[in-house]
Amino acid sequence: MNFSQSFRLALKSLMTSKMRALLTMLGIIIGVAAVIVITSLGNGMTQMMNDQFDQLGANLIQVQVWGRGEGSRTIEPDDMYALAEKYPKYIAGVSPYVTTQNAAIRQGSDEYKRTTVYGVSEAFYDPSRNQTITGESLAQGRFLSYIDVERFQNVCIIGDYLNQEMFQGKGLGQNLTIGGVPYKVIGVLAQKADNTEGSGDDVIFLPFGNALRASASPSVNLYLFTSTNKDSSAAAKGVIENRLFKTFQSSDYYMVMSSAEMMDAMNTMMDTMMVVLVAIAAISLLVGGIGIMNIMLVSVTERTREIGIRKSLGGKRRDIRSQFIIEAGTTSAIGGVLGIGLGVLMAQAAGVLVRGLMSSNGGESFNAVPTVGAIAIAFGVSVAIGIAFGYLPANKAAKLNPIDALRYD
């Protein structure tokens, strides 16, 4: 008996008892669908994070300083500026980055308690790209200048939410108070998030020295560097680390990380998480394989007389074995196809749901599309499991004594 004949017999056997066949395939269907959904969501999340890193630029370097080292060693903004001036071949610019959510922000009698205030320098904004280091862009006015930062000018740039809520879209040139100090709005940012309170549009940028005063912070603990290009990022990182080590005499008081390293770390974390989740989902495939083995053992028992007749007519062990293995493989293959269809639909639905939930954080770029590789692997594994778990019943059928099989009732 050739493959095509065995395949037709397998289909006929499945069609004879449709409900039993569907229940047999259920574990395979769920397992394949789960693998496709998980890999689709994981790939979508990885792609979204990579897109966000690309938007920020591959030349970003973050420097976190843990307070003061031994003997009150510390780093001041002027030290970082001097370092950038000394190595213009590697470092394009540097900006202190001060964050506070405790400053009292008022406009008239209204107070805004969830607004985040960021203190930065003029290097935080790239006019050639109309983009800040963290991805904001200007819609009106200008960003901070060197004079603003050097002279602690009381000027600020506000997010679109504040522009709409405070000034009904006409905030440029208006005034607000931060910590009781009046500030003039010299720029308005384009909408970045969902334009709600506490979102990425509820922000204020001002000179970092002013932000330190507003937050009562003693020093700057975070600096954002930009290398001249992606290729010089590693060299710029090395220059910064050498300078910090020279001051602190230990790497325990600071951390330097480039955007490329952050991207690699996030991708590694996502890959590890994906492996764990796929392994958990694959348990359903094993359960499906056990179901196939169970139903094939029942099938062998039900068709014992048929096996005896075929053997008495000259059927060989390999023919009996291959027939039942092909039947098990066909069952798992059909379950795999159904699981792929279900998985693709569920992945699209999950992608829409996640995109909606993450819209306030740029999740509109999230796209959970199953890859051909994930589909092929899930289908191949489902067929392999069907064949592997179908071998035991097939081997049992092949070893039946024809005389005993014919006597079976």
Side-chain angles (χ1 to χ4, degrees), residues 38-51:
I38 290 172
T39 54
S40 299
L41 291 175
N43 291 334
M45 189 67 69
T46 300
Q47 186 60 49
M48 186 186 73
M49 290 190 301
N50 289 339
D51 290 343

PDB file of all heavy atoms in Angstrom, residues 38-51:
ATOM      1  N   ILE A  38       1.625  33.809  20.601  1.00  0.00           N
ATOM      2  CA  ILE A  38       2.720  34.270  21.460  1.00  0.00           C
ATOM      3  C   ILE A  38       3.883  34.805  20.628  1.00  0.00           C
ATOM      4  O   ILE A  38       4.431  35.874  20.910  1.00  0.00           O
ATOM      5  CB  ILE A  38       3.185  33.131  22.386  1.00  0.00           C
ATOM      6  CG1 ILE A  38       2.106  32.845  23.437  1.00  0.00           C
ATOM      7  CG2 ILE A  38       4.502  33.495  23.067  1.00  0.00           C
ATOM      8  CD1 ILE A  38       2.375  31.620  24.269  1.00  0.00           C
ATOM      9  N   THR A  39       4.260  34.070  19.583  1.00  0.00           N
ATOM     10  CA  THR A  39       5.363  34.544  18.743  1.00  0.00           C
ATOM     11  C   THR A  39       4.998  35.825  18.006  1.00  0.00           C
ATOM     12  O   THR A  39       5.831  36.714  17.831  1.00  0.00           O
ATOM     13  CB  THR A  39       5.778  33.464  17.725  1.00  0.00           C
ATOM     14  OG1 THR A  39       4.628  33.045  16.968  1.00  0.00           O
ATOM     15  CG2 THR A  39       6.379  32.263  18.423  1.00  0.00           C
ATOM     16  N   SER A  40       3.745  35.947  17.598  1.00  0.00           N
ATOM     17  CA  SER A  40       3.302  37.161  16.901  1.00  0.00           C
ATOM     18  C   SER A  40       3.366  38.371  17.821  1.00  0.00           C
ATOM     19  O   SER A  40       3.869  39.437  17.444  1.00  0.00           O
ATOM     20  CB  SER A  40       1.879  36.983  16.376  1.00  0.00           C
ATOM     21  OG  SER A  40       1.795  35.914  15.461  1.00  0.00           O
ATOM     22  N   LEU A  41       2.855  38.219  19.046  1.00  0.00           N
ATOM     23  CA  LEU A  41       2.899  39.313  20.010  1.00  0.00           C
ATOM     24  C   LEU A  41       4.341  39.660  20.388  1.00  0.00           C
ATOM     25  O   LEU A  41       4.697  40.837  20.513  1.00  0.00           O
ATOM     26  CB  LEU A  41       2.097  38.949  21.255  1.00  0.00           C
ATOM     27  CG  LEU A  41       0.579  38.851  21.086  1.00  0.00           C
ATOM     28  CD1 LEU A  41      -0.072  38.367  22.378  1.00  0.00           C
ATOM     29  CD2 LEU A  41      -0.010  40.195  20.680  1.00  0.00           C
ATOM     30  N   GLY A  42       5.156  38.633  20.557  1.00  0.00           N
ATOM     31  CA  GLY A  42       6.557  38.874  20.895  1.00  0.00           C
ATOM     32  C   GLY A  42       7.291  39.600  19.782  1.00  0.00           C
ATOM     33  O   GLY A  42       8.042  40.552  20.031  1.00  0.00           O
ATOM     34  N   ASN A  43       7.081  39.174  18.537  1.00  0.00           N
ATOM     35  CA  ASN A  43       7.718  39.835  17.401  1.00  0.00           C
ATOM     36  C   ASN A  43       7.225  41.269  17.260  1.00  0.00           C
ATOM     37  O   ASN A  43       8.002  42.178  16.943  1.00  0.00           O
ATOM     38  CB  ASN A  43       7.439  39.058  16.117  1.00  0.00           C
ATOM     39  CG  ASN A  43       8.152  37.714  16.078  1.00  0.00           C
ATOM     40  OD1 ASN A  43       9.180  37.543  16.725  1.00  0.00           O
ATOM     41  ND2 ASN A  43       7.616  36.768  15.350  1.00  0.00           N
ATOM     42  N   GLY A  44       5.915  41.467  17.483  1.00  0.00           N
ATOM     43  CA  GLY A  44       5.372  42.816  17.401  1.00  0.00           C
ATOM     44  C   GLY A  44       5.951  43.732  18.457  1.00  0.00           C
ATOM     45  O   GLY A  44       6.281  44.895  18.190  1.00  0.00           O
ATOM     46  N   MET A  45       6.084  43.212  19.688  1.00  0.00           N
ATOM     47  CA  MET A  45       6.650  44.012  20.778  1.00  0.00           C
ATOM     48  C   MET A  45       8.124  44.337  20.508  1.00  0.00           C
ATOM     49  O   MET A  45       8.570  45.478  20.723  1.00  0.00           O
ATOM     50  CB  MET A  45       6.525  43.245  22.094  1.00  0.00           C
ATOM     51  CG  MET A  45       6.883  44.060  23.321  1.00  0.00           C
ATOM     52  SD  MET A  45       5.733  45.402  23.637  1.00  0.00           S
ATOM     53  CE  MET A  45       4.261  44.476  24.113  1.00  0.00           C
ATOM     54  N   THR A  46       8.869  43.354  20.024  1.00  0.00           N
ATOM     55  CA  THR A  46      10.278  43.585  19.717  1.00  0.00           C
ATOM     56  C   THR A  46      10.439  44.631  18.624  1.00  0.00           C
ATOM     57  O   THR A  46      11.285  45.530  18.714  1.00  0.00           O
ATOM     58  CB  THR A  46      10.947  42.269  19.281  1.00  0.00           C
ATOM     59  OG1 THR A  46      10.845  41.308  20.339  1.00  0.00           O
ATOM     60  CG2 THR A  46      12.416  42.488  18.958  1.00  0.00           C
ATOM     61  N   GLN A  47       9.612  44.527  17.574  1.00  0.00           N
ATOM     62  CA  GLN A  47       9.691  45.480  16.475  1.00  0.00           C
ATOM     63  C   GLN A  47       9.317  46.885  16.933  1.00  0.00           C
ATOM     64  O   GLN A  47       9.943  47.869  16.518  1.00  0.00           O
ATOM     65  CB  GLN A  47       8.754  45.039  15.341  1.00  0.00           C
ATOM     66  CG  GLN A  47       8.859  45.897  14.082  1.00  0.00           C
ATOM     67  CD  GLN A  47      10.253  45.877  13.493  1.00  0.00           C
ATOM     68  OE1 GLN A  47      10.844  44.807  13.319  1.00  0.00           O
ATOM     69  NE2 GLN A  47      10.804  47.041  13.187  1.00  0.00           N
ATOM     70  N   MET A  48       8.313  46.979  17.805  1.00  0.00           N
ATOM     71  CA  MET A  48       7.900  48.288  18.305  1.00  0.00           C
ATOM     72  C   MET A  48       9.020  48.934  19.118  1.00  0.00           C
ATOM     73  O   MET A  48       9.308  50.127  18.973  1.00  0.00           O
ATOM     74  CB  MET A  48       6.641  48.155  19.159  1.00  0.00           C
ATOM     75  CG  MET A  48       6.058  49.490  19.590  1.00  0.00           C
ATOM     76  SD  MET A  48       4.668  49.333  20.733  1.00  0.00           S
ATOM     77  CE  MET A  48       5.518  48.846  22.235  1.00  0.00           C
ATOM     78  N   MET A  49       9.674  48.142  19.975  1.00  0.00           N
ATOM     79  CA  MET A  49      10.765  48.685  20.786  1.00  0.00           C
ATOM     80  C   MET A  49      11.939  49.099  19.894  1.00  0.00           C
ATOM     81  O   MET A  49      12.546  50.152  20.115  1.00  0.00           O
ATOM     82  CB  MET A  49      11.213  47.652  21.812  1.00  0.00           C
ATOM     83  CG  MET A  49      10.201  47.416  22.917  1.00  0.00           C
ATOM     84  SD  MET A  49      10.853  46.427  24.276  1.00  0.00           S
ATOM     85  CE  MET A  49      11.314  44.924  23.416  1.00  0.00           C
ATOM     86  N   ASN A  50      12.248  48.283  18.889  1.00  0.00           N
ATOM     87  CA  ASN A  50      13.339  48.635  17.984  1.00  0.00           C
ATOM     88  C   ASN A  50      13.030  49.906  17.209  1.00  0.00           C
ATOM     89  O   ASN A  50      13.919  50.737  16.974  1.00  0.00           O
ATOM     90  CB  ASN A  50      13.611  47.484  17.018  1.00  0.00           C
ATOM     91  CG  ASN A  50      14.261  46.292  17.698  1.00  0.00           C
ATOM     92  OD1 ASN A  50      14.863  46.439  18.767  1.00  0.00           O
ATOM     93  ND2 ASN A  50      14.161  45.127  17.103  1.00  0.00           N
ATOM     94  N   ASP A  51      11.764  50.068  16.804  1.00  0.00           N
ATOM     95  CA  ASP A  51      11.363  51.291  16.094  1.00  0.00           C
ATOM     96  C   ASP A  51      11.517  52.515  16.986  1.00  0.00           C
ATOM     97  O   ASP A  51      11.939  53.583  16.534  1.00  0.00           O
ATOM     98  CB  ASP A  51       9.913  51.180  15.616  1.00  0.00           C
ATOM     99  CG  ASP A  51       9.757  50.179  14.477  1.00  0.00           C
ATOM    100  OD1 ASP A  51      10.776  49.831  13.851  1.00  0.00           O
ATOM    101  OD2 ASP A  51       8.613  49.743  14.214  1.00  0.00           O
TER     102      ASP A  51
END
